[in-house]
């Protein structure tokens, strides 16, 4: 007789492996997402490399410094002011230009003037006064500095009177509201101009001897006023030449002093 066969029991983990092997494998959604992200990033990187580099402003990056349109405009106005108003021999034309650049509320801040008058007309009175007294009066802008609503002009002046020529310097600070000048501070070496034009004597070495230290302190010099005054780049060039000459003389003096410390007859060093 045939023996009754008992089916062999398959372990559960073996059955699981068999079922897993018989079923098609499923792709993980997470893996698809990761691959897509990496592919997208690489594509973007290649695209950036293919494009020209353009610097962009970020929160951590230093600010991009660009010239303000107002800065350019204000400096341009100051240049036009001196060219079209102060250096213009046609006073009618100068007045029209002044009305464009100088506010009706303009004030010239000058502590030595006891009765300051505001307005464009008062500004033009100064222009007319200078032009009528010194017909060949010329102002040169040596430098312009802008800070906030103010523009500072470093100036050189030139004029002649009775065959005598004068050159002097000055500084002017102009405060703006929009594109109009509302306040002006002006400082010029008027005393130097008066001396050069023969309208006053040089007080540095004249007058009361006891008061000369005061005069020299206020004038900033103890030597007589130079016959020829240089301004702007001419003065800077003169200073460089003087400085180089001083250095040459200083070197020569040092060499001469070193030679004096040695006795050429005995060959011995001299103790000074």
């Amino acid at each position: 007789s045939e023996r009754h066969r008992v089916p062999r029991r398959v372990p559960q983990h073996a059955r699981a492996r068999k079922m897993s092997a018989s079923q098609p494998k499923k792709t993980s959604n997470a893996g698809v997402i990761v691959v897509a992200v990496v592919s997208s990033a690489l594509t973007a990187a290649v695209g950036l490399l293919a494009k020209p580099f353009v610097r962009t402003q970020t929160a951590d990056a230093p600010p991009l410094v660009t010239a303000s349109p107002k800065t350019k405009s204000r400096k341009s106005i100051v240049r036009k002011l001196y060219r079209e108003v102060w250096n213009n021999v046609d006073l009618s034309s100068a007045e029209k230009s002044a009305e464009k650049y100088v506010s009706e509320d303009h004030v010239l801040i000058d502590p030595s003037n006891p009765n300051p008058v505001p307005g464009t007309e008062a500004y033009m009175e100064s222009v007319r006064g200078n032009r009528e007294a010194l017909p060949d009066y010329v102002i040169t802008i040596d430098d312009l500095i802008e800070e906030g609503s103010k523009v500072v002009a470093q100036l050189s002046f030139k004029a002649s009177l009775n065959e005598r020529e004068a050159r002097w310097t000055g500084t002017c600070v102009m405060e703006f509201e929009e594109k109009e000048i509302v306040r002006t501070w002006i400082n010029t070496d008027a005393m130097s101009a008066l001396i050069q034009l023969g309208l006053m004597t040089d007080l540095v070495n004249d007058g009361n001897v006891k008061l000369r230290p005061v005069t020299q302190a206020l004038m900033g010099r103890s030597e007589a006023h130079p016959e020829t005054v240089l301004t702007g780049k001419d003065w800077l060039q003169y200073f460089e030449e003087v400085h180089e000459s001083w250095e040459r003389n200083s070197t020569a003096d040092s060499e001469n002093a070193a030679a004096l410390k040695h006795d050429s007859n005995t060959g011995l060093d001299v103790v000074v």
Side-chain angles (χ1 to χ4, degrees):
S1 65
E2 294 180 358
R3 294 183 179 179
H4 179 70
R5 290 184 180 181
V6 178
R8 189 175 58 180
R9 188 174 183 182
V10 180
Q12 187 174 0
H13 63 273
R15 253 185 322 194
R17 284 199 301 269
K18 186 176 181 181
M19 291 176 63
S20 176
S22 63
Q23 293 179 358
K25 293 184 179 180
K26 294 183 180 180
T27 305
S28 170
N29 291 337
V32 172
I33 294 171
V34 170
V35 171
V37 170
V38 172
S39 176
S40 176
L42 290 173
T43 303
V46 171
L48 286 175
L49 291 173
K51 294 180 180 180
F53 175 75
V54 178
R55 182 181 177 187
T56 57
Q57 182 67 39
T58 63
D60 298 329
L64 299 175
V65 180
T66 56
S68 168
K70 286 188 177 180
T71 300
K72 291 182 179 179
S73 177
R74 286 169 180 165
K75 287 186 176 181
S76 176
I77 289 172
V78 171
R79 291 189 181 96
K80 290 178 181 178
L81 176 76
Y82 284 103
R83 182 173 64 248
E84 299 176 15
V85 178
W86 289 97
N87 289 340
N88 194 348
V89 296
D90 184 347
L91 292 176
S92 298
S93 173
E95 185 172 359
K96 291 179 181 178
S97 295
E99 291 172 353
K100 291 190 295 183
Y101 310 133
V102 181
S103 170
E104 281 293 337
D105 300 322
H106 175 270
V107 177
L108 174 62
I109 300 174
D110 182 2
S112 66
N113 186 353
N115 298 307
V117 179
T120 310
E121 178 56 32
Y123 190 93
M124 277 304 301
E125 286 183 10
S126 297
V127 176
R128 293 191 196 95
N130 281 278
R131 181 59 57 195
E132 291 169 359
L134 303 165
D136 61 351
Y137 183 82
V138 176
I139 302 176
T140 302
I141 298 175
D142 295 323
D143 198 7
L144 288 176
I145 302 170
E146 192 268 349
E147 179 67 28
S149 61
K150 295 177 180 177
V151 176
V152 181
Q154 185 179 352
L155 307 171
S156 292
F157 300 82
K158 183 178 179 181
S160 62
L161 181 67
N162 298 329
E163 298 182 355
R164 300 187 65 161
E165 186 178 278
R167 297 178 69 178
W168 67 101
T169 58
T171 303
C172 185
V173 181
M174 287 153 280
E175 184 175 358
F176 282 79
E177 284 185 4
E178 296 301 328
K179 293 185 177 182
E180 289 188 328
I181 302 169
V182 293
R183 275 179 285 276
T184 300
W185 294 259
I186 182 70
N187 249 327
T188 66
D189 191 359
M191 187 171 291
S192 175
L194 293 170
I195 294 172
Q196 294 175 71
L197 295 174
L199 300 177
M200 69 173 292
T201 59
D202 186 6
L203 302 176
V204 167
N205 294 316
D206 291 340
N208 193 325
V209 176
K210 293 182 179 180
L211 297 178
R212 283 183 185 175
V214 178
T215 305
Q216 293 174 358
L218 293 176
M219 298 288 283
R221 56 185 173 82
S222 57
E223 297 83 6
H225 192 283
E227 293 183 3
T228 303
V229 174
L230 301 177
T231 61
K233 294 180 180 179
D234 293 337
W235 188 91
L236 291 174
Q237 183 178 353
Y238 166 76
F239 173 78
E240 291 295 333
E241 292 174 355
V242 170
H243 185 66
E244 289 175 3
S245 175
W246 178 83
E247 284 188 334
R248 288 194 298 270
N249 293 335
S250 178
T251 301
D253 291 343
S254 299
E255 292 174 352
N256 293 335
L260 291 174
K261 294 180 181 180
H262 186 77
D263 189 353
S264 58
N265 294 323
T266 62
L268 299 175
D269 291 333
V270 178
V271 178
V272 179

